[in-house]
DNA sequence: CTTTAGATCGTCT
DNA sequence: GACGATCTAAAGG
């Protein structure tokens, strides 16, 4: 497959073994998220992420070391994907981080569609490119990431499906907006943690 | 642009 | 039986 664009080197799964999930979430901005589904490639630049701090973060599904069938995957080693169903409708895509046993994860909340835009539009039955993948449920549908793939490793193919991360472009720290996480009112004081990261539009105008 | 209500089902209690 | 790490359409400004 010919992809004549820079920054398409895959990131090794080892990269996600780092123990600072906040730093990882920030660092993933500007990287490229790619899926290959039955030979069809789609990709986009990661524009929004949130860090979830394992067993000590009240917003995390694994808070207090909760160990259920669903959250089991969060305790795998970094580089696995954790995808769960939200509100009965949406698959939300996370990358598990840290070493095995520590349930940290980064939620990818938005991408700027790049390759395979027409495919994404068809999957979402939508024409407006700007609204195509600017939300966690939206990007999963656009990239055909389903919660049945939860537990799969990055770069590993299963049933014609594969997902991975590429280096993309370096991000200027000045281009990052930091904010509180969304939709976690139940997390009490941890709802105030500044663990949501957004790439400014300016990032995409630079050369 | 903003607000609001309704959809929908796996997971956990 | 209750509840989401959300999205959309519709209606109003």
């Amino acid at each position: 497959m010919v992809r004549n664009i820079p920054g398409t080197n895959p990131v090794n799964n080892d990269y996600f073994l780092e123990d600072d999930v906040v730093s990882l979430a920030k660092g993933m901005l500007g990287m490229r998220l790619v899926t290959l589904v039955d030979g069809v490639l789609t990709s986009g630049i990661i524009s929004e992420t949130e860090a979830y701090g394992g067993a000590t973060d009240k917003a995390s599904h694994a808070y207090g070391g909760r160990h259920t069938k669903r959250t089991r995957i969060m305790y795998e080693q970094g580089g696995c994907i954790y995808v769960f169903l939200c509100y009965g409708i949406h698959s939300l895509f996370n990358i598990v981080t840290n070493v095995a046993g520590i349930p940290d994860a980064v939620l990818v909340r938005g991408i700027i569609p790049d390759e395979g835009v027409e495919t994404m539009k068809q999957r979402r039955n939508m024409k407006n490119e700007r609204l195509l993948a600017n939300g966690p449920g939206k990007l999963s549908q656009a990239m055909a990431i389903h919660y049945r793939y939860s537990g799969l490793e990055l770069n590993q193919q299963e049933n014609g499906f594969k997902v991975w991360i590429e280096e993309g472009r370096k991000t200027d720290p000045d281009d990052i907006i930091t904010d509180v996480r969304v939709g976690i009112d139940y997390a009490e004081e941890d709802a105030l943690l500044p663990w949501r990261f957004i790439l400014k539009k300016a990032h995409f105008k630079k050369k």
Side-chain angles (χ1 to χ4, degrees):
Chain A
M1 184 173 304
V2 180
R3 297 173 64 215
N4 196 14
I5 44 180
T8 54
N9 304 321
V11 174
N12 291 331
N13 291 14
D14 292 355
Y15 177 81
F16 299 99
L17 295 176
E18 178 181 330
D19 71 352
D20 185 346
V21 66
V22 174
S23 160
L24 270 176
K26 204 182 297 185
M28 282 168 59
L29 293 177
M31 290 186 176
R32 181 182 295 271
L33 177 65
V34 193
T35 63
L36 186 63
V37 183
D38 295 328
V40 178
L41 186 145
T42 52
S43 84
I45 303 301
I46 296 174
S47 58
E48 183 175 341
T49 60
E50 282 179 359
Y52 284 84
T56 58
D57 174 6
K58 289 185 177 175
S60 168
H61 290 165
Y63 174 63
R66 273 170 63 239
H67 213 294
T68 67
K69 191 172 179 181
R70 180 176 67 155
T71 61
R72 188 184 65 231
I73 177 60
M74 298 184 76
Y75 295 84
E76 296 292 321
Q77 73 172 6
C80 292
I81 70 174
Y82 171 54
V83 191
F84 67 94
L85 184 70
C86 190
Y87 297 106
I89 308 174
H90 304 107
S91 288
L92 267 57
F93 173 75
N94 297 251
I95 295 180
V96 174
T97 71
N98 216 322
V99 294
I102 302 182
D104 292 348
V106 174
L107 170 67
V108 180
R109 293 187 51 87
I111 61 169
I112 308 298
D114 187 6
E115 298 169 274
V117 171
E118 286 310 312
T119 300
M120 295 196 238
K121 285 180 177 173
Q122 285 172 20
R123 287 174 181 156
R124 300 251 305 119
N125 190 24
M126 148 176 302
K127 295 175 183 174
N128 188 333
E129 188 169 330
R130 218 197 73 204
L131 304 176
L132 201 50
N134 63 334
K138 296 177 177 187
L139 79 86
S140 291
Q141 192 185 1
M143 306 272 299
I145 298 170
H146 189 272
Y147 65 88
R148 72 172 143 275
Y149 296 120
S150 191
L152 191 64
E153 287 175 42
L154 294 171
N155 297 107
Q156 183 186 64
Q157 170 121 352
E158 179 179 295
N159 298 328
F161 175 86
K162 187 170 144 182
V163 57
W164 67 96
I165 301 288
E166 292 173 354
E167 288 173 359
R169 207 171 72 183
K170 286 278 183 287
T171 300
D172 185 338
D174 290 341
D175 288 344
I176 298 175
I177 300 168
T178 302
D179 204 348
V180 294
R181 295 171 293 178
V182 184
I184 51 157
D185 294 342
Y186 55 84
E188 303 175 8
E189 73 273 16
D190 287 345
L192 301 175
L193 292 171
W195 283 4
R196 178 185 180 205
F197 305 102
I198 306 165
L199 205 47
K200 289 183 188 172
K201 289 175 187 168
H203 172 82
F204 300 99
K205 295 178 180 171
K206 295 180 180 176
K207 295 178 183 174

